[in-house]
């Protein structure tokens, strides 16, 4: 894993944006894997700014999001589809039909998982996957204990993940209990992975990732076995790394 050390969140966001913009310009039909949460908000802001200023075009880009809460419809402000529209898709020239997020309010989530995995394969997989990391080492919503062989599946969210995400909801009761997530195997099929880590809250997770063993109890550890992973981490996140 290649590690790029940066000062803070803003520098992480700028560096990540530079890398992505360069790739989109070089390969206009790139398949991007996208994440939600607090980590990539700054990155998406940078991509929007660059699109408006420099005209980087996303017309031929396809995007595949990692995950979606079960039970939330696309127009629910806490759904990841809504988040992506508001943070990125509405402000660049991407074709809405080229943006893919698992359907959260489907009657048959199991079928949605199979369909999403098939869609990924039909498009030849993700070229560059953006990831954040949970304090418990989750990537996507693959919580500790998820099989490294897993493809897109339904996951029951841990209490710690629901608590971490409660900040976006009115109350803890509103935080969904289940989500659809790309599996670990689906993520590992990406040709290249860019993991963003910022802030002291993530320093234990980063230390564990860099110094711990590859183990299903710490899902992100599998990234050590991927041939092309870049981590952009800021000083606060790197604080506890020996
Ligand atoms: C989001 C996702 C999650 C987040 C992780 C970190 O699509 O897949 O794995 O990346 O929970 O979330 P933040 O960035 O809010 O700390």
């Amino acid at each position: 894993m290649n590690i790029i050390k940066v000062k803070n969140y803003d520098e992480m966001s700028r560096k990540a944006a530079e890398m992505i913009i360069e790739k989109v310009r070089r390969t206009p039909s790139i398949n991007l894997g996208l994440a939600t949460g607090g980590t990539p908000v700054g990155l998406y802001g940078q991509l929007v700014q660059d699109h408006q200023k420099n005209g980087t075009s996303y017309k031929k880009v396809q995007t595949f999001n990692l995950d979606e809460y079960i039970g939330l419809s696309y127009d629910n402000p806490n759904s990841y589809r809504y988040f992506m529209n508001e943070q990125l898709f509405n402000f660049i020239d991407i074709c809405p039909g080229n943006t893919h997020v698992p359907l959260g309010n489907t009657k048959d989530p199991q079928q949605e998982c199979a369909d999403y995995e098939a869609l990924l394969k039909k498009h030849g997989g993700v070229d560059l996957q953006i990831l954040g990391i949970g304090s418990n080492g989750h990537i996507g919503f693959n919580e500790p204990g998820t099989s490294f062989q897993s493809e897109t599946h339904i996951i029951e969210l841990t209490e710690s993940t629901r608590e971490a995400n409660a900040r976006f909801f009115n109350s803890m009761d509103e935080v969904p209990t289940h989500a659809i997530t790309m599996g670990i195997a689906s993520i590992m099929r990406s040709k290249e992975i860019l993991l963003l880590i910022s802030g002291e809250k993530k320093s234990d997770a980063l230390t564990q990732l860099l110094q711990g063993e590859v183990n299903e109890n710490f899902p992100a550890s599998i990234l050590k076995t991927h041939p092309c992973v870049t981590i952009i981490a800021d000083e606060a996140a790197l604080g506890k790394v020996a």
Side-chain angles (χ1 to χ4, degrees):
M1 296 190 297
N2 172 33
I3 304 183
I4 300 176
K5 300 177 182 174
V6 293
K7 214 164 175 44
N8 53 30
Y9 180 84
D10 288 345
E11 200 183 331
M12 176 192 78
S13 305
R14 278 198 304 276
K15 256 259 138 18
E18 271 169 30
M19 290 172 67
I20 294 166
I21 290 162
E22 197 260 322
K23 284 179 194 298
V24 169
R25 286 180 170 254
R26 192 160 14 114
T27 311
S29 60
I30 193 168
N31 290 346
L32 292 178
L34 300 178
T36 59
T39 305
V41 168
L43 157 66
Y44 296 151
Q46 291 286 328
L47 295 183
V48 169
Q49 251 186 47
D50 163 77
H51 169 72
Q52 288 167 352
K53 210 165 123 212
N54 305 316
T56 304
S57 177
Y58 294 80
K59 274 203 176 111
K60 294 187 182 154
V61 172
Q62 300 270 343
T63 64
F64 298 88
N65 265 79
L66 284 166
D67 40 21
E68 179 61 283
Y69 289 117
I70 291 182
L72 301 194
S73 62
Y74 68 93
D75 55 355
N76 182 315
N78 279 314
S79 74
Y80 284 168
R81 159 57 74 182
Y82 191 96
F83 173 100
M84 288 310 305
N85 289 344
E86 287 292 306
Q87 297 296 333
L88 183 65
F89 300 151
N90 287 348
F91 306 102
I92 57 175
D93 63 346
I94 197 159
C95 304
N98 289 353
T99 67
H100 310 287
V101 182
L103 265 185
N105 64 339
T106 164
K107 285 213 176 70
D108 190 347
Q110 206 70 56
Q111 186 60 47
E112 177 61 15
C113 293
D115 291 349
Y116 200 70
E117 193 66 39
L119 185 77
L120 278 164
K121 288 185 178 142
K122 185 182 131 201
H123 284 276
V126 166
D127 296 309
L128 174 66
Q129 175 68 56
I130 314 302
L131 291 180
I133 188 171
S135 306
N136 62 5
H138 74 219
I139 49 175
F141 267 141
N142 294 288
E143 299 284 29
T146 306
S147 164
F148 283 160
Q149 314 310 325
S150 55
E151 295 195 320
T152 303
H153 63 286
I154 299 170
I155 188 99
E156 179 170 3
L157 302 174
T158 61
E159 277 312 288
S160 73
T161 296
R162 291 185 66 237
E163 275 161 24
N165 290 358
R167 66 190 194 275
F168 300 111
F169 294 80
N170 291 322
S171 74
M172 184 69 182
D173 293 348
E174 283 183 19
V175 186
T177 55
H178 291 75
I180 292 175
T181 182
M182 271 191 212
I184 300 279
S186 337
I187 293 172
M188 288 294 284
R189 280 187 208 117
S190 312
K191 295 181 189 76
E192 192 175 345
I193 293 175
L194 179 58
L195 171 60
L196 306 180
I197 313 187
S198 167
E200 209 218 311
K201 275 194 191 150
K202 299 291 172 70
S203 64
D204 285 336
L206 180 53
T207 309
Q208 170 89 17
L209 172 60
L210 298 179
Q211 294 168 5
E213 313 239 293
V214 176
N215 187 308
E216 287 182 352
N217 289 324
F218 194 79
S221 62
I222 190 69
L223 298 176
K224 291 188 190 198
T225 68
H226 190 285
C228 197
V229 174
T230 300
I231 301 176
I232 307 182
D234 70 7
E235 283 174 4
L238 282 159
K240 291 183 188 162
V241 176

